[in-house]
Amino acid sequence: QVQLVESGGGLVQPGGSLRLSCVRSGSIFKINAMGWYRQAPGKERELVATITSGGSTNYADSVKGRFTISRDNAKNTVYLQMNSLKPEDTAVYYCYADEVLYTGDDRRSWGQGTQVTVSS
C-alpha cells in the first residue's frame, strides 16, 4: 500500500517553475532522510535531491542552483521547488522516505511518481 502521495507535476515551458509535494500518510515512528529521484524514458533512475531530518541537503550536479528541497517534519512532507526548468528535466519524479517503524525495523517507502514535462 502506497503511503507516500506526490502532487504538483505537470507541463511547463522551459525556464518555468514547478513545486512538487510528497506527503507521508499514516502513523510512523520516525522518518530519517527524504528525497526525490527521477527517471526519464530510456534512462536509469537518478537521485535528484535529499534532505535529512535535521535539514541537511544534497543535490545532483545537474540541478544545483535550480532546485531546492525542503521538508516539514510536523506534516511528514517533503517539497521540491524546481526553477529554470529545462527539457532535460522531463521525467517521472519519485519521492522516498527512510522510515523507522514502531517495531524498530527500517524501510524505504516510495511514492507512485508524478510526471514533469518541460516543453514549449
Side-chain angles (χ1 to χ4, degrees):
Q1 181 179 359
V2 175
Q3 294 178 303
L4 289 175
V5 180
E6 298 141 342
S7 61
L11 173 64
V12 64
Q13 292 186 344
S17 298
L18 283 175
R19 188 191 194 210
L20 305 183
S21 299
C22 173
V23 180
R24 204 290 183 188
S25 63
S27 179
I28 193 73
F29 178 69
K30 183 181 179 182
I31 299 177
N32 291 322
M34 302 182 80
W36 296 87
Y37 278 75
R38 68 185 180 186
Q39 188 166 22
K43 295 187 177 181
E44 293 187 353
R45 188 175 293 194
E46 65 169 342
L47 180 63
V48 176
T50 64
I51 185 167
T52 68
S53 57
S56 296
T57 59
N58 190 39
Y59 297 92
D61 288 342
S62 58
V63 306
K64 282 181 181 177
R66 300 187 298 121
F67 291 11
T68 301
I69 189 171
S70 60
R71 65 190 281 175
D72 184 333
N73 291 331
K75 297 180 179 179
N76 288 340
T77 301
V78 63
Y79 306 96
L80 187 67
Q81 178 66 45
M82 305 184 293
N83 299 328
S84 302
L85 282 161
K86 304 175 181 180
E88 51 263 44
D89 295 317
T90 295
V92 178
Y93 285 69
Y94 299 89
C95 67
Y96 75 88
D98 289 333
E99 305 172 340
V100 180
L101 308 181
Y102 287 106
T103 60
D105 296 326
D106 53 29
R107 71 182 181 194
R108 173 166 288 188
S109 293
W110 291 92
Q112 80 284 0
T114 186
Q115 176 70 46
V116 172
T117 303
V118 185
S119 175
S120 55

